[in-house]
Amino acid sequence: LFADTLLEHFPRGEITSVLAHEFGHYYHRHILKLIVIASLSAVVGMSIADLVLNAAAGALGITDMARIATAPLLILALFLFSLVTMPLMNNLSRHFERQADGYALDCTRDADAFISAMRRLADQNLADKEPHPVIESLLHSHPSIGRRIRFAEEWSARHGRKEATDHLTS
C-alpha cells in the first residue's frame, strides 16, 4: 500500500507535504470537478461517435446498425475522440496537480520537504524527471517531477524558507 510505503520510507516533513497535496485536491474540489467534466466528455464523446457511426454506416450502405460490422466504426470513432480529448484532460489534470502542489506549499511552508518528497517519489516510481515536453503535454496527467521541483523552488524564492510550522507537523 502507498500509505505503508509512505510511513515506512519517508520522513515526517515529506509525509506532511504529500498529505497536504492530497488535501489540496479536496480543498479545490478536484474530484467532483473531474467527475462532472468526465461525465460531460463521455456524453459528448458518445454523441459524436453516434454521428460518425451513422454517417460512416450510411456511406458504406449499412442499414442495420445492430450488425457487428459496425463495431470497428464505433471503436474508430471513440479512438479519434479520445485522441483529441486525452491531451485536454491531461492538461486539466496537470493544472489541478499544480493547484494541489501550491496548496501543499502554502500549508506546510516547507519547499525543501516537498522537493525531497518529489525526488523520493520519482526514484521510487522510476519516473522520468524531465520527459520531452510534447510527450508530457500529450500523455502525462501530472507535471513532470522537474517542473514540480522548479515550481517549489520558485515558490520558495517568493515566500522564503520554511517558517515556524510546528503546529502542522506535530
Side-chain angles (χ1 to χ4, degrees):
L1 292 175
F2 180 70
D4 291 341
T5 302
L6 195 66
L7 292 173
E8 254 180 58
H9 301 290
F10 286 63
R12 178 178 240 160
E14 292 177 17
I15 293 170
T16 303
S17 289
V18 171
L19 291 176
H21 168 90
E22 298 307 328
F23 290 144
H25 287 304
Y26 173 79
Y27 176 80
H28 289 290
R29 302 181 194 274
H30 291 157
I31 294 171
L32 177 62
K33 290 174 184 176
L34 283 174
I35 288 171
V36 169
I37 291 167
S39 298
L40 291 173
S41 177
V43 168
V44 169
M46 289 297 178
S47 298
I48 291 171
D50 181 59
L51 291 172
V52 170
L53 184 61
N54 284 317
L60 295 172
I62 298 173
T63 56
D64 182 9
M65 293 304 290
R67 289 184 53 199
I68 192 69
T70 60
L73 293 174
L74 175 62
I75 292 168
L76 177 63
L78 292 174
F79 170 74
L80 292 174
F81 180 75
S82 70
L83 200 60
V84 171
T85 58
M86 187 173 61
L88 298 173
M89 292 299 289
N90 283 341
N91 187 53
L92 177 64
S93 178
R94 286 190 305 274
H95 171 72
F96 286 169
E97 290 300 321
R98 282 188 297 275
Q99 279 186 322
D101 287 349
Y103 182 89
L105 290 163
D106 289 341
C107 284
T108 65
R109 317 264 327 145
D110 190 353
D112 292 338
F114 180 89
I115 291 168
S116 180
M118 290 297 108
R119 287 186 175 132
R120 191 180 308 273
L121 285 168
D123 291 342
Q124 178 180 309
N125 297 319
L126 305 175
D128 182 357
K129 294 176 186 163
E130 294 291 345
H132 190 280
V134 173
I135 299 297
E136 182 179 0
S137 174
L138 294 176
L139 302 176
H140 289 216
S141 61
H142 286 61
S144 69
I145 295 297
R147 286 185 196 280
R148 295 174 92 172
I149 288 171
R150 285 189 295 280
F151 176 76
E153 290 169 344
E154 291 165 6
W155 181 94
S156 183
R158 284 191 312 274
H159 295 91
R161 289 287 168 202
K162 182 177 178 179
E163 298 171 0
T165 56
D166 291 336
H167 64 284
L168 291 174
T169 58
S170 1

